[in-house]
Amino acid sequence: MKKAAVLGYGNIGSGVVSTLIENREHIARMAGEEIVPVKVLDLRSFPGDVMEKNVVRNIEEISGDPEISLVVETMGGTDPAFSFVKACLEAGKHVVSSNKELVAAHGPELLQTAAEHKVNFLFEASAGGAIPIIRPLVTCVTGDPVTKIYGILNGTTNYMLTQMSEAGMDYDAALRNAQELGFAERNPSADVEGFDSCRKIAILASMATHSFVNFKEVPTEGIVHITVADMELAERLGYGLRLLGTFRRENFRMFARVCPMLVRADHPLYAVKGAMNAVFVQGSKMGDLMFYGQGAGKYPTASAVTADLISCVRHPEGGEIPFTLSETLHLTDASMDRSRWFVRFSANPGKKVRDALGKEGKAVSSAENGFAFITGELTGQEVREKAGEGLLAAYRLA
């Protein structure tokens, strides 16, 4: 029997405990022995809960307990999560985390600490919730360098964009709707400003390259400026707007960003609607792969955390992630990133502007929403300079 402790007994932490108890026999078969939750660390009390008598207040009661070999961190944030996780790793305990902020900011140091103490630091749930994506990048596609990762990595914004596109809601109405249904927090900035997706694509890019990609270097733009007019004209051109976290290699150049992008109607990501998430991975030899599923939620995330716990039991000497992130991958200057663009004007800007932007294919217009078309390959600065006055919106094509 392996004894486990949970740091943070909120939505995800309680989901992990429930999963370990309710799926006890199945987990024991998968791991080779039973995994039993014996302590939870939290400042609150939980009267009537199954772990009511197992709540502790000090990390030393977990890091210093020789009988606990597995630790789950679901606290969120970096302070005190970082110091607590490091203390547990240094005490020779495997640690599993769902905390994207922790992994994005301190992943290299924690992986190094885990390697030094021959234990695992695993974080499958940090980037895709229930979607298995970290492990495939680490173990399944290593024979072919990943050339592209395009991900719908935030269910809140994807739900809002679906409501704007299919129900005609404006941004404010879509946000209120998402908050009423529990998809969006009272303060939704981490989601709608793109920060959540930024941390996740940095984690995925780090796993794909075996180097640390600093989320602070990733240009990030959210969905707050998207309008129903943008979406309506984009759909008429055969595209849908999605908030994407992207990483791609072009020879020796590496680009990453988070921003709203247009996805063609025949692309698999176009069909990802509502609060669902998906990650599209491409390699020169393996072709295209897509991973789809619940990107958040109590039990979907708990399922991924539990799978990591099982891996820790199966690999007691560590090394489930067989590398550290000792090297930092510096991204290419984002101003050099060229792409085709969807541009929307208040009215037809005239042939001179259209030719300067390299208009490709048809244009669409309406009295209410203006005039839109797809440009040739340009940098963002070139779009702004060549478009001139009257430009209402510009979005990259995926």
Side-chain angles (χ1 to χ4, degrees), residues 312-327:
C312 289
V313 177
R314 288 177 170 176
H315 298 85
E317 299 301 318
E320 224 277 336
I321 294 181
F323 56 83
T324 59
L325 302 177
S326 57
E327 295 185 6

Side-chain angles (χ1 to χ4, degrees), residues 4-20:
V6 177
L7 312 183
Y9 200 53
N11 193 42
I12 306 303
S14 61
V16 171
V17 169
S18 295
T19 300
L20 290 174

Side-chain angles (χ1 to χ4, degrees), residues 248 250 336-341 377-379 382 396:
R248 77 179 195 278
E250 288 184 356
M336 299 174 63
D337 191 7
R338 303 175 68 85
S339 65
R340 297 167 66 205
W341 294 75
E377 287 203 353
L378 301 164
T379 65
E382 288 172 336
R396 293 175 181 271

Side-chain angles (χ1 to χ4, degrees), residues 200-320:
K200 291 176 179 177
I201 195 61
I203 293 170
L204 295 180
S206 296
M207 294 298 100
T209 61
H210 296 190
S211 302
F212 177 54
V213 175
N214 190 338
F215 72 94
K216 295 179 181 179
E217 292 187 13
V218 179
T220 301
E221 176 189 348
I223 68 167
V224 295
H225 300 299
I226 295 178
T227 67
V228 173
D230 297 331
M231 304 193 81
E232 192 271 332
L233 292 183
E235 290 285 348
R236 288 176 56 189
L237 286 169
Y239 295 87
L241 262 171
R242 304 286 185 270
L243 181 67
L244 298 184
T246 68
F247 168 78
R248 77 179 195 278
R249 305 174 192 248
E250 288 184 356
N251 298 319
F252 297 103
R253 302 191 302 173
M254 308 282 184
F255 293 102
R257 68 171 60 249
V258 172
C259 64
M261 301 182 78
L262 265 68
V263 177
R264 287 188 61 88
D266 59 359
H267 192 283
L269 289 178
Y270 179 89
V272 180
K273 304 291 182 69
M276 303 301 286
N277 284 189
V279 182
F280 186 83
V281 179
Q282 185 179 86
S284 60
K285 302 293 188 295
M286 67 185 174
D288 299 337
L289 305 173
M290 193 172 87
F291 302 82
Y292 170 85
Q294 295 280 355
K298 179 175 182 174
Y299 289 111
T301 303
S303 174
V305 169
T306 303
D308 273 351
L309 287 174
I310 292 171
S311 291
C312 289
V313 177
R314 288 177 170 176
H315 298 85
E317 299 301 318
E320 224 277 336

